Amino acid sequence: MKRLVFGLLLACSVTACDDDFINISNPNQQTAEGFFQTEKDMDEAHIACYGTLYFQGIFGQWYDLVFEMRADLCYNESAWRDYANFSKFQYPSTNWECISYCWNHYYQGINILNNFLAHIDDESIKMDEEKRKQYKGEVSFLRALYFFNLYHLYGPNLLLITEPMDEVQFPASSTEEAVWSQIFQDLDVALNAGLPNVRNDAELGRITRGAVLAMIGKAHMQRHEWQAAADAFKQLIDSKVYQLTDNYFDNFDLDHEFNQESVFEVAFTDATKGTWTEFGSSQSPSTTQRARYFAPRDVGGHSDAQPNYYYLQEFVNNSPINYGTRTADNKVDSRRRASILYYPTQVLYGKTYLELGGAPEIDPQYPKIWSIKYSNGTWRTWEDEWSPINLRIIRYADVLLMYAEALNNLGRTADAYQYVDQVRGRQSVNLAKLSTVRPNMTQAEMQDQIEHERILELGCESERWFDIFRWGYLDTEEGKAKLLEHDYEFRTFRPGIDKFLPIPQNECDLNPNLHQNEGF
Amino acid sequence: MKLKQKVLSILMLMLATGASAQINVEGRVTDKQSGEPLTGVTVQVKATSMGTVTDIDGKYTLSLPSQNRATLVVSMLGYTSKEILVTNTIRQQDVTLEEDILGLEELVVIGYGTVKKRDLTGAVSVANADNMKKMTATSVTQALQGQVAGLQVKATGAPGETGRIFIRGISSLYSDTNPLFVIDGLPTSDTRDFNPDDIESVQVLKDASAAAIYGSRAANGVIIITTKRGKAGSTKIDFAAKYGFQQAVKKFDLMDGPEWLALQEEKYANAGRSGEFNIIDPTVNTDWSDQIFQTGSSQEYNVTASGGTASSNFLISANYMRNEGIVKGSDFERISTRVNGGIEKGRIKIEESALLSTSLSHDMAGSPLTNYLRMPPLMPLYDAEGNYAMGGENGAQTNSVNPVAERNLQHNKNRSYRVQGTVNGEFRFTDWLKYQINLGLEFNTNIGSQATEYGRFSANDVRQSRYSEDRNHFLKTVIENLLVFNHDFGKHSVNAIAGYTEQRIKSTSSGGFAYDIMQDNSGRYYWSLGNGDPQQQGLRESSDPTGLRSFLARIIYNYNNTYFLTASIRRDGSSRFREENHYGNFPSVSGAWRVSEEKFFEPLRNIINNMKVKVSYGVLGNEAIGNFRFNRYLNSFIPYTFGRSENFVFGTMPTLVVDTSLKWEEKKTTNIGLELAFLGNALTVEADYFVNRSDDLLAQVPIPMYMGSWQTIFDNGHTVWRNAGSVENRGIEVSIGFEQYQHPFKYDMKLNLTHISNEVKSLGGDNAPIYGTNTKTEKGRSLGEFFVLKTDGIYQVEDIDPDTNPLVFGDLPKAGDQRYLDLYGRDADGNLVEGADGNINDDDRTYVGSPWPKLEFSYTFNASYHGFDFSMYWTGAFDKTVYNSPKTWLYNVGDNGNYAAGYTGWTEENRSQTTPRVYADATLRGNTTRFIDDISFVRLKSIQLGYSLPNKLLKKAGIEKCRIYVNAENLLTFTDYDGLDPDFSGGGVFDLGVDTNSYPCVRTMGCGIQVTF
């Protein structure tokens, strides 16, 4: 029997008889336990909140493609037919790529913001109270912005998620009123957070009080709450922080980021060039893909969203609203060539329009012209998925035009003139004053005029969808008829229904309390 | 005291062997039926290690100690053993052995030991190694196809692909359904680098009672592979070579230029966009399938040298295999060597097996198999400037990646180096007690690289040059200590083991990428991570340690070879779970009754030669979920840029929803089996009925996107690891064998039939259904049933009536549009209710079929006549529902790709009821029965004809055996499926019936030679 004992001893001696080697913690990643406890944690979480702006579905890629490309200033005949059909409001499935991406990324972003907001008021985290308040305001602003965008994509059936969720929950579809009430509540927190009017050089990119005011105004505009909108815009204008740039194109290039006209801007850099599949790793990208989708194929672009003939001609048509479109020295509005590449000898990416594949005779159906805003062709010869140019989400010019629109809607048509004229009078634009060339407009005429001015000033900046949404064109057959005059892609648009995207059916399948939008 | 005496007597016996007073016994062993000499038969003095083996002429000589009498045990695999008595007076003892048709004597490896087949109580199948060799398989998994009832292999024709194995259906929701492989005692998951020619035997443990001894990793079954060893007495060299040509079993019939052009013009005209469709050169007619496919080839060479004495053995083998795929740019090459050896000296026995292997594969880049379907035939290969053509706008334009460009610009390479080795030591205390220590080691380095040259891949896709490389170092060590007890007490026989094992894995992955790779003037790239743009490069590294600690015990008892009982238990502790959930217990019990051994059965024994009843129950586990899934982690790489100077910083946030209470998945299986033999054992029937119930299934359950859970935001769709519910598989397996030997004609056949019904018993929590790709998995139904809109023909002109037609996704239908059944609507509260509501939308989806076939079969037939041998193997499945996803491209007229030849849309003249009108801008709705097919198939998987040259002829040349053969694989397929392969491998567990249009099935025609010196 000794041998038996010996054998067993041997058995134990060659193996460690304890649990050490199955008690292993992950050597690669830090666990979430113990986070949200120090000021440093909150600093890092605060950065992550801003980082959500980079998500593809938010501003990294799809923003312009859902808000500009579907609108009536661009057409899309992408080689990717599903995508071309998307801009004609035809979806192979409600789970289709961009419909899912945007839903996905906005909620990924919102959950990050909710996580932050759930902890920022925790008094056991020692930090400067002023800073705490500001942090909370900034992040609340972002949440309001995301719900604002989500609403314009998917409508009031969206899920109003405002608390962190560790376990899967099944919230119910929201209502119109609840969504707006949440947006205004968050914006109110931001407004009272003591945010500075101006950020110093190191803090550029962080939300300012002006951005909050502009957003409050913009949100009220969408609700036709003209007085509240006007009040917010007036406060912003009166703060005297902002000025139009002399040169119109300074708002879209790499060299004039964070200029005096910029109210809210998403900052990109190509210091690192990660790929999207790696977002969330040390190779995370910090660039936008917008430029690539708008650029000609020859330089690495996709030519997906291309300006249409209506947009091109709006600068020169002969309607009354164009009286005085020519400058004092009788030239065409310079914004036309700053915005659109269409003229045979016009140069971008070091090549002429014709060399880039443009048509010598512009075909009104498929004009084959390109948007220049945010193009890298002014400083290099190619386009790729790493565009470093900041997106100016709200510019002062937009604020001025919105203010004019609000005043006009309040019956203060005469007061609206000066703000439109400020935009027309920008140094590089230098159009005649409306008060001179079209004095005494009726309220309706002024509305038409402002609609026209917004196209010229803000075309291809993804403002158009919010505009036609606000003006009700997406709700009626008459509205559709007008849009169809501009863009043949509205042939297959269903007023009131295609105003919103479908909610990805996968989400409705997983959550029976989430209702699919009407018509899908 | 007794023990000591025994030990002493053994020692004395051993000493006596060397003494001078001995007697020599000699004799010849022959086959009873053929009378031919048997080589390699073991002749051993009973209850000692003394023995020898017969030589090439079947002769043996054995020196015995000068005792009056001794019992010799004469045994050989496949024959019934015989015991013979030798005495001082009988010096010459010839023996004839009878073939053991039922294989009752056959030793079956069951994990941590062997038992005679007769004694089996659980569901264990032995794959016939000879039959396996007849497949020109290049991997173990391929070789296993059709060899075992209830085992299914799904493999594509991709070079180096090992395929997926399903044992008795799918009981785990985890996408890895592969069973645990145990090669010479080493648990492993990789078989790609393994040379199937090294196989001596393969056992498949199908139920819990058999597999429970492997506890936590055995939920998908266990496949035990024993490699060949040298046989005492016969030193020999085997050489085998084979070569085959490969072709796709089927290719899609696509439109040629003129047919395609006609359809394009029609579709633009129908959309009111005539004239917009401009073709640059209508005479171009490119057959893109020619650009993708080639005639592949497969070649393999094997040399094995082996030999041994009664106390030692060795085997050295070398293997070279190369497979040139039928899709251009895909190939696989393997070089492997094996050194197996063992010695036995006194009480100590040591065996070793070692595999050294390296393989290199070039993998198909991207998805050319879908892309070529999307290339218009009017698009030339190259444009006027000599660039890869991408097509003109509005015309022959596609968004597809040009598959030729992709193949030429993208180079994917994967190299693997593998060492797999075990050393088993055994120390015999007494005849009935031994200690065994098994040491196992597996080391693998895998280097995968992707090199992308600068160029345009598709109309919208110009890629920079990029190089990325990933290296994985994997080290697994296993140590097992076992005590083995084996004793007969009169009619009672007991075999028991107790053991303790530890397994550790250290795995490290590192990788990097760089863009803008250095080029010289000739355009040559210098592929290296260091040769890129410093601004665009990155590194990653992670390590993945795991540990598994186990205690195990088993007892096998039999009374009078009639009643059998086996009980086992294993306790496993795994690092993959939280500390409180580390351990799981996996017990099993099983019994068998050999009714035919009973006295009362005697009158029947002439009719029923053997009858055995088996019952078993056991619990298995599953931990295959990857590491560290139970914690919530921080994502510390969410970047933003602040400030005028573009200060790029990373933020931190938890971003993942996890279930921190993860625990073991348990699979409980019950098996009832019956074995019968008739006609003098010529006809055998084995039937098993089983119920496998898996509880606390570990699964990646989809969760809503609004939960905001993400690891990388790129994924559209999120999952969380959960113990997600219960699934039950009930099934019947019947295996009928028949064999007959009328010298010189011999044949045998075996038919395996399997029926499995799969039912989801619970999905955990509130049983929320799980949706897959057009599938829905719900409580009370089977996994992955299709859930789509039912089509109902096409709207004809007279059907159009805006007052009665339903809205189809919000639109009134037009003549030529697809009709759907309006099955459901919503009540006032928004709940789904049955009945038409005038709205066709996703609410109207309904169940339309299950991917689980009603019946699967395999049939093998082997025959030999003099030197000729013939074998074939059929397989098939009946009545399963599949999603024909290639059709979503072939019928997608909205895409400017190519279409199925003969495809015509509805027109007022061609009043089709199946194909809708074609028009540009059409979107193709994929979730309809239009793409669902109910299919069956029968396939001749393999057929082979061989001829062995006559021995007399060979002997002069010093050759022992020489066989040549021709063979074909996948020669015939009978099916009603119009996809490429009715036996496709499918998507994940929730998408099993989805034909993913992966690498097509390959038809191989080849020949080979096997020579033994």
Side-chain angles (χ1 to χ4, degrees), chain B residues 268-458:
Chain B
Y268 272 82
N270 288 350
R273 295 175 59 182
S274 302
E276 286 178 30
F277 175 67
N278 307 307
I279 284 295
I280 298 156
D281 180 0
T283 62
V284 176
N285 196 351
T286 310
D287 183 345
W288 288 93
S289 79
D290 281 353
Q291 304 302 322
I292 296 301
F293 293 109
Q294 63 182 8
T295 300
S297 66
S298 165
Q299 52 185 310
E300 185 164 6
Y301 309 94
N302 262 300
V303 185
T304 308
S306 65
T309 66
S311 63
S312 69
N313 64 72
F314 74 92
L315 177 141
I316 302 166
S317 78
N319 165 265
Y320 173 79
M321 194 277 274
R322 182 170 171 79
N323 185 184
E324 205 84 45
I326 59 160
V327 175
K328 288 180 181 175
S330 62
D331 60 50
F332 177 75
E333 188 177 58
R334 177 181 67 216
I335 302 168
S336 79
T337 61
R338 171 171 293 280
V339 181
N340 284 2
I343 61 156
E344 201 172 341
K345 170 112 178 142
R347 292 159 175 279
I348 294 173
K349 186 176 163 189
I350 294 174
E351 278 190 341
E352 142 300 316
S353 72
L355 165 79
L356 302 173
S357 172
T358 176
S359 64
L360 174 67
S361 66
H362 293 97
D363 305 321
M364 190 174 82
S367 26
L369 294 165
T370 300
N371 292 341
Y372 90 90
L373 305 179
R374 300 184 62 197
M375 297 305 284
L378 283 191
M379 196 145 128
L381 269 182
Y382 301 99
D383 65 16
E385 283 108 62
N387 299 315
Y388 296 110
M390 300 296 159
E393 297 192 17
N394 300 341
Q397 158 180 285
T398 175
N399 193 45
S400 166
V401 165
N402 180 323
V404 179
E406 185 164 53
R407 182 172 69 245
N408 293 339
L409 296 174
Q410 171 89 44
H411 316 282
N412 294 354
K413 197 163 78 173
N414 197 295
R415 186 177 273 290
S416 162
Y417 304 91
R418 189 177 297 274
V419 176
Q420 238 173 30
T422 56
V423 177
N424 308 320
E426 195 177 296
F427 183 85
R428 218 150 22 90
F429 298 109
T430 72
D431 274 354
W432 45 267
L433 185 68
K434 63 183 180 185
Y435 164 71
Q436 222 177 300
I437 180 163
N438 305 328
L439 304 171
L441 178 138
E442 181 167 17
F443 179 72
N444 175 234
T445 292
N446 206 82
I447 304 168
S449 65
Q450 297 183 309
T452 310
E453 296 181 27
Y454 168 83
R456 188 180 286 275
F457 281 64
S458 76

Side-chain angles (χ1 to χ4, degrees), chain A residues 16 19 23 28 30 32 44 54 104-105 111 169 201 204 270 275 297 302 366 386 494 507 509 511, chain B residues 273 276 456 460 464 502 515 543 549 582-583 632 634 641 643-644 652 705-706 713 716 809 845:
Chain A
D19 265 356
N23 276 327
N28 309 307
Q30 210 183 328
E44 287 185 13
Y54 282 170
N104 184 11
H105 287 175
N111 275 284
Q169 292 174 20
D201 271 8
L204 280 175
D270 60 359
T275 51
R297 293 225 174 101
H302 291 183
Y366 304 113
W386 301 289
R494 297 168 300 171
E507 297 286 280
D509 285 346
N511 178 0
Chain B
R273 295 175 59 182
E276 286 178 30
R456 188 180 286 275
N460 276 351
Q464 274 185 289
E502 289 183 359
Y515 283 90
S543 59
R549 179 171 190 231
H582 270 169
Y583 283 95
R632 198 152 192 242
L634 291 179
T641 309
R644 177 97 44 212
T652 302
M705 291 187 276
Y706 63 73
I713 64 162
N716 252 354
F809 287 87
R845 289 172 298 170

Side-chain angles (χ1 to χ4, degrees), chain B residues 579-601:
Chain B
E579 203 168 342
E580 58 270 26
N581 294 334
H582 270 169
Y583 283 95
N585 297 322
F586 307 99
S588 83
V589 60
S590 55
W593 177 27
R594 279 191 73 196
V595 187
S596 51
E597 293 294 297
E598 297 283 2
K599 271 242 158 52
F600 66 76
F601 201 81

Side-chain angles (χ1 to χ4, degrees), chain A residues 162-300:
Chain A
T162 54
E163 297 290 332
M165 297 184 292
D166 292 339
E167 270 302 308
V168 177
Q169 292 174 20
F170 304 98
S173 277
S174 185
T175 61
E176 178 94 20
E177 285 315 306
V179 173
W180 286 107
S181 142
Q182 181 64 42
I183 290 171
F184 286 116
Q185 189 187 321
D186 277 339
L187 288 173
D188 197 52
V189 171
L191 188 66
N192 296 307
L195 296 175
N197 278 323
V198 184
R199 292 283 185 181
N200 64 33
D201 271 8
E203 285 183 348
L204 280 175
R206 286 177 58 182
I207 313 298
T208 57
R209 182 178 168 80
V212 179
L213 285 169
M215 199 61 218
I216 290 173
K218 192 172 174 182
H220 283 301
M221 290 291 286
Q222 299 307 92
R223 300 275 289 158
H224 296 189
E225 292 159 356
W226 311 114
Q227 188 59 55
D231 290 349
F233 293 135
K234 183 163 192 310
Q235 271 196 66
L236 182 147
I237 294 164
D238 289 347
S239 73
K240 306 234 185 307
V241 173
Y242 304 99
Q243 265 181 297
L244 298 178
T245 57
D246 288 348
N247 185 2
Y248 177 65
F249 199 73
D250 287 357
N251 290 304
F252 318 107
D253 69 358
L254 188 60
D255 296 334
H256 303 87
E257 296 175 340
F258 294 116
N259 60 37
Q260 71 256 35
E261 189 172 335
S262 168
V263 179
F264 173 54
E265 183 163 338
V266 179
F268 294 98
T269 172
D270 60 359
T272 64
K273 292 182 178 175
T275 51
W276 278 102
T277 46
E278 279 148 341
F279 195 94
S281 78
S282 59
Q283 276 86 49
S284 288
S286 52
T287 48
T288 149
Q289 300 208 51
R290 176 196 150 114
R292 190 192 195 192
Y293 281 86
F294 283 82
R297 293 225 174 101
D298 271 20
V299 294

Side-chain angles (χ1 to χ4, degrees), chain B residues 799-834:
Chain B
D799 299 335
I800 297 300
D801 176 359
D803 295 332
T804 58
N805 292 148
L807 288 173
V808 181
F809 287 87
D811 286 330
L812 276 169
K814 298 185 177 68
D817 280 350
Q818 188 86 56
R819 296 174 72 114
Y820 300 101
L821 289 182
D822 187 2
L823 297 175
Y824 295 95
R826 296 269 173 182
D827 65 13
D829 301 327
N831 299 314
L832 206 60
V833 286
E834 246 175 278

